[in-house]
Amino acid sequence: MKKRYYISLAALLILAGFIFYKYYYANPYADHNIEQKDLLNSFYSAFRTKDYGAIADLMSNHNPQMVITVRIWYGEVTSFQIKEIRRTSATEKKAVVSVTSRRNNAQHVNTDYLKLIKGIDGWEISSYESDLDYKLPG
């Protein structure tokens, strides 16, 4: 009987830990992620309209080339949703964003991964990656 109690208690603690992680720690709408959420909203608003000057201002190295290369292949970006923002250190967070786009007369959903760092003037994007599988014609 004691064994069943401890197993149930452990399962309950694991479940509580998962709920805490998902709904508080990694929640992009939590109070501790407001600045990063605003940064990502600005980034994807500029991403959607291909405003590379605005994107450069949000990047830590002010070079949007890694974004431009991928953005060309996205086609028409119709929407985005910030899935999670999680802290990896006191000055770094990672974000996962789902991007919906239309290309080749079909709707596609891809996932972007961004690393955010705390700079002198606030939070900036230090790296950008996408799971977009683009292939050159030919």
Side-chain angles (χ1 to χ4, degrees):
M1 190 67 174
K2 262 188 170 179
K3 187 177 181 180
R4 180 180 285 172
Y5 171 77
Y6 287 120
I7 290 173
S8 297
L9 183 62
L12 185 62
L13 288 173
I14 290 170
L15 180 63
F18 176 75
I19 290 170
F20 174 77
Y21 172 80
K22 192 66 177 167
Y23 294 102
Y24 178 75
Y25 181 73
N27 182 352
Y29 303 98
D31 290 343
H32 60 271
N33 286 329
I34 289 174
E35 287 181 69
Q36 298 79 27
K37 179 184 66 79
D38 291 344
L39 171 67
L40 291 169
N41 283 328
S42 297
F43 175 83
Y44 279 99
S45 293
F47 186 83
R48 201 175 204 178
T49 61
K50 299 180 184 178
D51 184 354
Y52 301 120
I55 290 172
D57 291 341
L58 301 172
M59 309 280 300
S60 60
N61 64 0
H62 300 288
N63 182 356
Q65 188 57 52
M66 66 179 141
V67 177
I68 293 170
T69 303
V70 174
R71 176 61 184 93
I72 291 168
W73 293 94
Y74 259 103
E76 177 193 349
V77 174
T78 57
S79 66
F80 68 91
Q81 182 181 16
I82 304 168
K83 294 292 191 181
E84 73 176 44
I85 301 172
R86 59 185 160 82
R87 179 181 169 179
T88 55
S89 75
T91 59
E92 182 180 289
K93 292 189 178 191
K94 291 188 177 181
V96 178
V97 180
S98 176
V99 180
T100 305
S101 65
R102 289 198 58 76
R103 62 182 177 276
N104 301 328
N105 296 320
Q107 182 172 313
H108 298 271
V109 178
N110 293 97
T111 304
D112 290 352
Y113 304 92
L114 299 96
K115 188 186 302 182
L116 314 174
I117 58 168
K118 190 170 189 175
I120 295 168
D121 297 327
W123 288 88
E124 302 170 318
I125 298 167
S126 67
S127 73
Y128 167 85
E129 295 177 19
S130 179
D131 71 352
L132 178 71
D133 184 24
Y134 55 91
K135 295 181 175 106
L136 296 173

